[in-house]
Amino acid sequence: MAAQGAKLRVYFDYNATAPLRSSVRQTMIEAMDLVGNASSVHSFGRDVRKKIESSRQRVAIALGLESKRVIFTSGATESNNLALKNFSGRVIVSAIEHDSVFKVRDDAVTIPVSTDGVVDLDNLDKLLEKNSGEPTLISVMAANNETGVIQPLAEVVQIAKKHRAYVHSDAVQAIGKVEFPWHMLDMISVSGHKLGGPAGIGCLVINTGLPIVPYIKGGGQERSYRAGTENLIGIVGMAAAIEESLKDNWIHAKKLRDTLEDLISEIDPDALVIKKETNRLSNTAVLYMAGVKSETQIMSFDLKGFAVSAGAACSSGKVKTSRVLEAMGFNTDKNGQVIRVSIGPNSNFKEIDGFVRAWQSIYEKCSNAKSKYVNNVRGDDYEFAYGA
Ligand code: PMP
């Protein structure tokens, strides 16, 4: 996004994190002047409490649900852990969940997905029929971070109701991009930095009465679901970010993403991993380059000024093959030759054009496949300003 060194760079990794919005930055700077602990009784403390509660209200309004359901956490990883870890009962998760859901419970039962990356509802229904009599929690993400595929949450809720099961959704990638009656879910995980807010803040929306034992104990903050002095700066930043995110123009992003995919498939018709007609986020493209490792692609794009990622860049920065693509039936070779491009609401055609040129250039240099594109263009020295 911003200039780094001599070359201007383009940020196409919004699903990893979105740039901080300037209005959010301003709101946070103003909140830094507030002194006080929200639990203190004096007027300083009460001012901080007021800010936190009005932020809670703003988050709740953005999601269309009651503010008392919003519990601030340090991010979606914590929210997912809070939702699943100490749930007293059976836990069912989809095969494509983020690790912060997938790895929380060793005893979780997994629901498979189709080759299009959509959770198998029949399988879920059958699993729930085997009712053990204990409370059951189903965790299905709203949209997948690697593929952008939107999950049939309304149907999941319907099936769950039939079997009196609870539904949690990691909605990190969908909030602000997809409209959904969020109040229908028993629990929802939200992350600030995916919305153009700061990292290190998120929330878990929760219904009272769920059989959950909080694991961070101490003070009684956040209705005892999450002890610890509240992160005021993060909380006001997150509230501002979620409000702003509702104004984003994802129709524009969809046009850009579709153009990118059309142009890339002219170069290689086999490059598109997710079928165009799949119900998915409007900002995400998953591209396969035959014979070129994901890691090599990421580094090559980085040299050309484009920040993209492989679906499963882990915390060590290494690129692993994707568990999500594996669950969709991709073989290991193909799996390791895929990248994710995730654009933002303010991306532009010039950036898309530059990316396609870069893709063609890397493809022609590194891939064992032959370009089918007639207008040979090379993107080696393509430079332009973000947002121009
Ligand atoms: N779930 C999904 C689907 C994500 O994409 C991410 C971020 N990679 C997380 C959870 C974790 O969010 P956070 O960084 O706020 O802990």
Side-chain angles (χ1 to χ4, degrees), residues 7 17 33 91 102 188 253 260 266 293 350 378:
K7 210 167 178 179
T17 193
D33 285 333
V91 173
F102 198 75
I188 311 164
L260 181 149
E266 274 184 46
K293 280 190 179 159
K350 213 168 169 185
R378 303 196 79 85

Side-chain angles (χ1 to χ4, degrees), residues 90-95 105-111 123 127:
R90 181 166 65 141
V91 173
I92 300 175
V93 304
S94 90
R105 295 272 297 237
D106 293 338
D107 60 347
V109 178
T110 306
I111 329 164
N123 187 286
L127 271 176

Side-chain angles (χ1 to χ4, degrees), residues 8 28 35 48 62 98 159 179 183 224 236 259 327:
L8 289 160
M28 292 197 301
V35 181
V48 172
H98 187 265
I159 295 170
E179 286 195 24
H183 64 89
S224 293
V236 297
T259 303

Side-chain angles (χ1 to χ4, degrees), residues 51-196:
K51 262 270 178 259
I52 290 174
E53 293 316 316
S54 65
S55 300
R56 197 186 310 280
Q57 188 80 37
R58 289 163 72 189
V59 170
I61 290 171
L63 294 170
L65 41 82
E66 284 176 292
S67 67
K68 67 172 188 215
R69 294 187 63 193
V70 176
I71 302 298
F72 289 114
T73 63
S74 67
T77 298
E78 186 188 321
S79 302
N80 289 338
N81 274 267
L82 177 57
L84 272 75
K85 199 178 179 73
N86 287 345
F87 177 84
S88 314
R90 181 166 65 141
V91 173
I92 300 175
V93 304
S94 90
I96 54 164
E97 294 302 312
H98 187 265
D99 278 354
S100 57
V101 166
F102 198 75
K103 292 190 171 167
V104 175
R105 295 272 297 237
D106 293 338
D107 60 347
V109 178
T110 306
I111 329 164
V113 296
S114 68
T115 50
D116 290 333
V118 181
V119 71
D120 182 339
L121 294 171
D122 286 342
N123 187 286
L124 173 64
D125 202 16
K126 282 199 188 101
L127 271 176
L128 290 169
E129 261 160 24
K130 287 186 216 142
N131 196 338
S132 53
E134 55 183 343
T136 301
L137 175 65
I138 305 158
S139 184
V140 173
M141 65 201 324
N144 184 265
N145 46 310
E146 295 185 33
T147 62
V149 175
I150 295 170
Q151 299 302 316
L153 271 191
E155 286 87 340
V156 170
V157 170
Q158 216 177 0
I159 295 170
K161 265 202 182 138
K162 195 169 87 181
H163 300 280
R164 295 168 179 243
Y166 300 109
V167 182
H168 162 257
S169 184
D170 173 349
V172 160
Q173 298 291 343
I175 285 169
K177 298 194 186 94
V178 174
E179 286 195 24
F180 187 77
W182 299 112
H183 64 89
M184 286 171 67
L185 298 159
D186 296 295
M187 288 190 279
I188 311 164
S189 296
V190 188
S191 169
H193 70 103
K194 308 282 179 176
L195 297 163

Side-chain angles (χ1 to χ4, degrees), residues 269-283:
D270 296 327
L272 304 191
V273 170
I274 308 295
K275 282 192 210 118
K276 290 185 83 121
E277 61 277 12
T278 310
N279 186 22
R280 60 197 173 124
L281 298 177
S282 36
N283 77 321

